[in-house]
Amino acid sequence: MIEHSSHPGGDRPAPWTRRGFLLTAGALAATASTRAAAAAELPDFPADITPYRSAYRNWVGEITADGLWACAPSGPEQVAAVVNWAWRHGWRVRARGSSHGWSPLTVTEDTPSDARVLLVDTAPHLTGLALDSPTSVRAGTGITLEALLAYLEAHGLGVTATPAPGDLTLGGALAIDAHGTAVPAEGEQRLPGHTYGSLSNLVLALTAVVWDEAAGAYVLRTYQRDEPDCAALLTHLGRGLVTEVVLRVGANTKLRCVSRTDIPVGELFAAPGTGGRTFASFLEESGRVEAIWFAFTEFPWLKVWSVSPTRPLTSRRVTSPYNYPFSDNVPTPVADLVGRMVSDGAWYLAPVLGNAQYDAAALGLVATLSADIWGPSKNTLLYLRPTTLRINANGYAVHTSRDQVQRVVAEFTDFYRERLMAYAAVGKYPVNGSVEIRVTGLDDPADAELVGAQTPLLSALRPGGPGRDTAVWLDVLTLPGTPHAEAFLREIEQFLLATFDGTRVEWSKGWAYTDRAVWSDEEVLGTVVPASFGPDVWGRAVETLDRLDPHRVLGNDFLDRLLR
């Protein structure tokens, strides 16, 4: 046996210092103080779970709450114990993953520190991963998408599309039907285990905390995808708490991603039938397209992914994700402009900022050799780190037919540009970020390859009207606090709702605009959004979620207004 000695080279104790003593004493005092406060404010809290004070901050910091109580259950059973404690003591429970969202689905604005709101952090412990079969994976809902995709890649598996940020937790992504960008290219067939819809459409089974009338308590229950109640939990908006899921997955693919910044707006977003290098032409060729159009610029950043089993001669092989460092780390010229606009109110610099962002992308793609990259799917699909510029975003999914995608894009971009120029003509600059356009399929339950699979009730990709097989996702991004943004984005929203009757909101982003606020238009909240799903679907979702949580432990004031 080799023993560790206390002489040099062994594990020598750190020398005593007065500063170290005071720091240790302070930490112990703080811990004792927290325990005392917890005992007073959280009576009878489960003894095997340690509560702590925690601040909540959404992605852009516009929804914050200081000093809320939080805990990190070690497993699903402890999650159920926490929910039961909250029910008995009149508290509400909010699951928290990475807080990478905009809308008030987790915590509402102006939530006071003494609110009876308990945050349940899923990321520390609900992170189990195991193959359930050769074509399915069992995952805790606190796992990040990056960790999940890396695990799948190691087993030769993957997904067709995913959101760009890898820090999203799986539970958060499923709660709001997170998506990427993908439809079948010309002649392409869906691979077994894959979907062109949302990640929610891959769920085979899920375990959730629900009310059990016979037990008189909240319990863990596993729902199979073919059970009717599962349909409401597949996209629950935070009105449920899912601890574990089983996902259908398929063979991984190698993807090539080519970026271009040389196609003018007038050509890429042209009216249908004009020919040339249009958005729809790239969609037909590859099926996987994303356009990022910086405000007041003429050339969008176009990304085109294509399935490529072998590396094309001109492509750079990438062995990890996040291959656009100029996007993840804000360049100094961009940061300086943002600082002037936010700190000094120099919002008139929006055109300068837009062009600076375009320059950073165009030059960065060349400097980092990332204009043409190739590798396992996750390495080109995940490209956004938390260090990127944090900016507000609205979001909508326009349901249409595949052959009408170019029309939707052209009419939207024409209206957006006309209104942006009209605002600028009177000295108003409501947008200083970009427009982002993606295209997906819808949530076809057959993709789960399970007889009787339910369609997610509240997914924005739930199939709707006849002939609609595609969704065009439209986002407008602008800095928090930008003057006139709400009024401008209200015009955008009203245009989409009036022009395309297949429009649904993107749950995690901005919608229901008044001239001064977001998530505030009562007609959109109470009438338009429910109508976009239809009264039967909306009513079934609300009824199911209320029955599974009749005491409304899993909710907040905003969800109470929305889901009624």
Side-chain angles (χ1 to χ4, degrees):
M1 176 182 294
I2 300 177
E3 296 183 353
H4 292 289
S5 64
S6 60
H7 56 73
D11 292 334
R12 188 168 189 166
W16 183 93
T17 65
R18 182 175 183 275
R19 182 174 181 274
F21 172 78
L22 291 175
L23 287 173
T24 301
L28 291 173
T31 301
S33 175
T34 300
R35 288 175 179 167
E41 298 181 37
L42 310 175
D44 306 317
F45 198 76
D48 54 347
I49 306 173
T50 302
Y52 46 87
R53 292 284 193 180
S54 178
Y56 175 85
R57 183 185 190 278
N58 77 338
W59 174 244
V60 290
E62 288 202 321
I63 298 178
T64 61
D66 294 328
L68 296 179
W69 283 106
C71 64
S74 63
E77 292 77 13
Q78 286 195 348
V79 175
V82 165
V83 172
N84 276 305
W85 174 88
W87 161 60
R88 290 192 300 267
H89 291 82
W91 282 60
R92 304 190 91 168
V93 169
R94 310 306 301 134
R96 175 171 62 177
S98 63
S99 301
H100 192 140
W102 291 262
S103 58
L105 300 181
T106 304
V107 171
T108 56
E109 192 174 3
D110 300 324
T111 298
S113 60
D114 60 352
R116 292 189 163 219
V117 174
L118 179 69
L119 299 174
V120 170
D121 287 323
T122 62
H125 302 299
L126 301 184
T127 55
L129 277 174
L131 289 185
D132 211 51
S133 77
T135 58
S136 63
V137 62
R138 182 177 299 272
T141 51
I143 199 74
T144 64
L145 295 186
E146 181 179 358
L148 170 64
L149 295 177
Y151 179 85
L152 292 177
E153 180 184 305
H155 291 84
L157 301 167
V159 299
T160 295
T162 181
D167 68 316
L168 302 182
T169 59
L170 178 60
L174 295 175
I176 49 88
D177 66 285
H179 63 93
T181 182
V183 292
E186 185 175 3
E188 179 182 349
Q189 298 295 315
R190 182 186 66 84
L191 294 175
H194 287 254
T195 185
Y196 296 105
S198 72
L199 292 180
S200 296
N201 199 41
L202 293 173
V203 173
L204 294 175
L206 59 82
T207 299
V209 179
V210 299
W211 177 255
D212 186 303
E213 189 65 34
Y218 284 87
V219 300
L220 292 168
R221 179 176 169 184
T222 298
Y223 294 86
Q224 302 302 317
R225 178 70 180 269
D226 59 0
E227 294 184 63
D229 284 356
C230 188
L233 293 170
L234 292 168
T235 301
H236 58 72
L237 312 187
R239 192 63 184 87
L241 206 169
V242 176
T243 61
E244 184 180 74
V245 297
V246 177
L247 301 177
R248 173 72 73 203
V249 289
N252 200 15
T253 58
K254 301 288 180 62
L255 292 178
R256 179 190 193 186
C257 183
V258 175
S259 289
R260 304 186 61 161
T261 57
D262 64 332
I263 306 175
V265 168
E267 182 178 1
L268 187 65
F269 302 148
T274 56
R277 298 169 296 177
T278 64
F279 188 92
S281 70
F282 289 103
L283 200 65
E284 287 303 306
E285 181 183 347
S286 74
R288 297 154 177 83
V289 180
E290 173 186 82
I292 300 176
W293 179 22
F294 299 109
F296 301 99
T297 64
E298 291 299 321
F299 295 88
W301 175 8
L302 180 71
K303 295 194 193 79
V304 180
W305 289 263
S306 56
V307 177
S308 182
T310 58
R311 183 179 70 84
L313 184 63
T314 59
S315 299
R316 177 171 69 88
R317 183 192 305 268
V318 290
T319 57
S320 60
Y322 313 115
N323 291 289
Y324 308 113
F326 53 87
S327 178
D328 291 329
N329 303 291
V330 183
T332 299
V334 172
D336 289 346
L337 285 167
V338 170
R340 289 184 62 189
M341 295 169 72
V342 173
S343 300
D344 303 336
W347 301 104
Y348 61 87
L349 292 173
V352 181
L353 177 61
N355 280 275
Q357 292 179 93
Y358 168 80
D359 289 343
L363 296 174
L365 288 167
V366 175
T368 61
L369 302 179
S370 52
D372 185 353
I373 57 178
W374 173 88
S377 61
K378 86 170 193 318
N379 297 341
T380 63
L381 294 175
L382 298 179
Y383 65 81
L384 202 63
R385 293 183 187 271
T387 52
T388 192
L389 182 64
R390 301 205 173 193
I391 198 163
N392 269 331
N394 72 351
Y396 305 89
V398 176
H399 287 217
T400 188
S401 59
R402 176 72 177 267
D403 61 357
Q404 292 297 304
V405 168
Q406 188 69 27
R407 181 182 73 86
V408 172
V409 170
E411 292 185 14
F412 164 72
T413 53
D414 279 352
F415 180 81
Y416 162 82
R417 187 169 203 175
E418 185 276 323
R419 297 312 302 148
L420 191 66
M421 294 301 105
Y423 271 65
V426 293
K428 298 177 180 179
Y429 297 90
V431 178
N432 40 54
S434 61
V435 164
E436 296 184 353
I437 303 174
R438 301 174 181 88
V439 181
T440 67
L442 304 183
D443 281 342
D444 182 351
D447 294 351
E449 299 165 22
L450 178 70
V451 175
Q454 297 286 312
T455 307
L457 286 175
L458 294 181
S459 170
L461 293 180
R462 180 183 176 86
R468 298 171 185 161
D469 57 4
T470 303
V472 181
W473 295 85
L474 304 169
D475 302 334
V476 181
L477 286 67
T478 196
L479 289 167
T482 300
H484 315 295
E486 288 78 12
F488 179 86
L489 295 175
R490 175 176 171 79
E491 290 192 44
I492 295 293
E493 178 173 87
Q494 293 299 314
F495 167 79
L496 292 174
L497 294 173
T499 307
F500 309 111
D501 62 0
T503 300
R504 290 180 181 155
V505 301
E506 185 169 3
W507 295 119
S508 64
K509 296 181 180 176
W511 42 275
Y513 287 90
T514 66
D515 285 343
R516 296 182 178 274
V518 61
W519 311 299
S520 298
D521 185 314
E522 291 300 331
E523 182 182 0
V524 173
L525 286 169
T527 302
V528 175
V529 168
S532 71
F533 290 88
D536 292 342
V537 170
W538 189 263
R540 181 182 159 199
V542 171
E543 184 279 327
T544 302
L545 294 170
D546 283 349
R547 177 164 42 81
L548 298 182
D549 177 23
H551 305 288
R552 306 190 76 83
V553 175
L554 306 172
N556 62 30
D557 291 345
F558 177 74
L559 290 172
D560 292 344
R561 291 167 55 205
L562 177 66
L563 297 171
R564 58 186 180 185

